[in-house]
Amino acid sequence: MNRRNDDPMKKQSKAAKAQKKQSAAAEDPRARCYAEKLSRMVRFDTTSYPYSEEHPAAEQYARFLEYHRILAELFPLVHENLEKTDLEGSLLYHWKGASGDRPIVLMGHQDVVPAAGSSSSGSAWEYPPFSGAVADGKVWGRGSVDTKCSCMAILQAIEELLAADASGQPPQDIYFSTSCTEEWGGPGCPSIVGELRRRGVKPWLVCDEGGGIYRDPMPGVRGMFAMIGVGEKGRANLRFIARGEGGHASTPRKNTPIARIAAFVHHVEKHSPFHSRMEPETRAMLEAVSPAAILPFRLALQNLWLFGKPIELAAPGISGQAAAMLGTTITFTMISGGDAFNVFPAEASVGANLRFSRHEDMEESLAIIRKKAEKYGLEMEVIHASPCTKRADLRGEAYRYVEETVEKTFPGLRTSPYILTAATDAAFYDEICESCIRFAPIVYGPSEKKGIHGTNEALTYSCLPGAVDFYKNLITGTENRAV
């Protein structure tokens, strides 16, 4: 049989094997057990808010103490054998290893965002947001994906390793870092990092949320990939203010504050002042996914020496995802101005969110947009800004170790590095760790991604056994690695 006729059969065979493997995963008896544990965690409302008179820190801390009691019930061996430090609701677990040369920190946060779009009964949700319903092969509710699933998998992995050998030790010191203020960038994780610094701990590897197992990770690319985040873009919240003289709408004027704001927003959205550039991690990502790309994308991605520059120039205009990969982005998110139809205001403002790329990091990007705003007579106020995080070395041993663990746990699953455009608590670890990886071994399909911070958050729980196995392998796999 010639090769042309053989290829379809091979493809059918691979598809059949993949389907069989997927069915086997769905039938894994552990999946339902893990789903019930995750359900119990989701049912407890761990919504966190910036500390205020309406949401005082003490009141929120008391609520998290109740949640900690649930964790102790679900994972008794963890709480009997690991040292637990409570830092005002955020927790640091320590499992002492045979060596402390290469400590590993595993991460996931306890808190969740408010269940927007729901009433107390959960209207607009198929199941109430804190029901923890286990139905249709999913665990439903706020936090099921972000990120009680990875917290459950980490704790369950340790629980099973202890059950197998209660007197044993992992090869290296293992820490589980779980903040209760991640969703609003509160003091939880910084306090954990401060505690580790006080103890003199310098993690060899930090593994947090941010990446995952994605189907068709970008337009034109087909298949499943473990997308391993190796850093985060910088970010800022800005306010642009236009001032002028107010007046009655019956005597209109030119160049009013609202008109200048509108012209500025329109220009920046049509003509981005930022420059696109393919950074090394982005190039590595495109090269990694290129074999799974459809034509003509594959041709371009496999010949970046030729098509790299055209991609830099054209891609940002094609999609927001491409723009985010290749440069600093700005999104206008809030606007304020007049409060009467017949009066034009003396002041108007617009809020914006920036995400910096490393080639135009915080200071440079802020200077670029400030200069553009000044041309429209606008003032710029920086509400918050932070630069790009460190990047994990793609050739470094810690990154390779994560890749190897993915291969060991999910044979044949392709891996790819990428730069995270969102924010995680892992950024706080930059000061004590050189290899902060953003990867949780959870399968994120379209519905999982859509539910994060949205309505109907739900996780297909057949992926949970693989997640537990990944963390077990990550914990134990350093045993034969030379220091």
Side-chain angles (χ1 to χ4, degrees), residues 194-392:
E195 174 64 18
L196 289 171
R197 192 192 310 107
R198 186 188 66 79
R199 299 182 191 183
V201 177
K202 293 185 177 181
W204 175 66
L205 168 67
V206 168
C207 191
D208 193 11
E209 64 165 328
I213 301 173
Y214 295 98
R215 183 184 300 279
D216 304 343
M218 63 183 65
V221 176
R222 301 289 178 260
M224 301 291 285
F225 278 85
M227 302 300 293
I228 303 174
V230 294
E232 298 174 18
K233 296 180 76 172
R235 58 194 183 277
N237 294 325
L238 308 177
R239 182 180 292 117
F240 300 95
I241 306 161
R243 305 185 195 276
E245 292 184 8
H248 199 279
S250 62
T251 54
R253 298 175 185 170
K254 301 292 184 182
N255 211 32
T256 63
I258 287 179
R260 300 198 323 267
I261 288 284
F264 168 69
V265 170
H266 177 76
H267 179 83
V268 170
E269 287 200 341
K270 287 288 186 180
H271 310 283
S272 173
F274 305 108
H275 301 95
S276 295
R277 183 179 301 170
M278 195 177 296
E279 297 177 354
E281 295 82 6
T282 302
R283 179 177 289 271
M285 175 187 69
L286 296 178
E287 290 173 345
V289 303
S290 63
I294 60 175
L295 290 173
F297 295 105
R298 189 190 316 153
L299 177 64
L301 297 183
Q302 290 182 333
N303 293 278
L304 291 176
W305 62 273
L306 178 61
F307 294 103
K309 184 56 66 174
I311 289 173
E312 287 179 350
L313 295 173
I318 296 174
S319 74
Q321 183 180 3
M325 286 193 303
L326 295 170
T328 294
T329 59
I330 181 169
T331 303
F332 296 99
T333 54
M334 301 187 296
I335 192 165
S336 64
D339 53 12
F341 283 105
N342 62 345
V343 177
F344 53 84
E347 180 178 310
S349 67
V350 63
N353 180 259
L354 264 71
R355 302 286 165 146
F356 314 126
S357 285
R358 188 164 55 178
H359 66 270
E360 282 181 339
D361 209 343
M362 182 176 72
E363 296 299 334
E364 186 173 357
S365 287
L366 291 177
I368 290 171
I369 197 65
R370 186 189 300 275
K371 184 176 180 180
K372 183 64 66 176
E374 288 173 350
K375 289 185 177 181
Y376 290 84
L378 309 183
E379 301 170 20
M380 188 179 89
E381 179 184 357
V382 179
I383 308 301
H384 165 80
S386 57
C388 297
T389 67
K390 290 180 183 177
R391 306 288 170 87

Side-chain angles (χ1 to χ4, degrees), residues 66-78:
E66 292 295 321
Y67 180 66
H68 298 168
R69 281 189 269 276
I70 291 174
L71 296 182
E73 291 175 13
L74 292 174
F75 309 101
L77 294 179
V78 170

Side-chain angles (χ1 to χ4, degrees), residues 49-71:
Y49 304 90
Y51 299 147
S52 64
E53 289 186 8
E54 184 181 2
H55 301 289
E59 181 180 289
Q60 295 190 63
Y61 177 44
R63 190 155 43 86
F64 276 97
L65 286 178
E66 292 295 321
Y67 180 66
H68 298 168
R69 281 189 269 276
I70 291 174
L71 296 182

Side-chain angles (χ1 to χ4, degrees), residues 77 114 130 138 171 178 183 213 371 475:
L77 294 179
F130 296 103
K138 298 181 178 182
T178 179
E183 292 292 5
I213 301 173
K371 184 176 180 180
I475 290 169

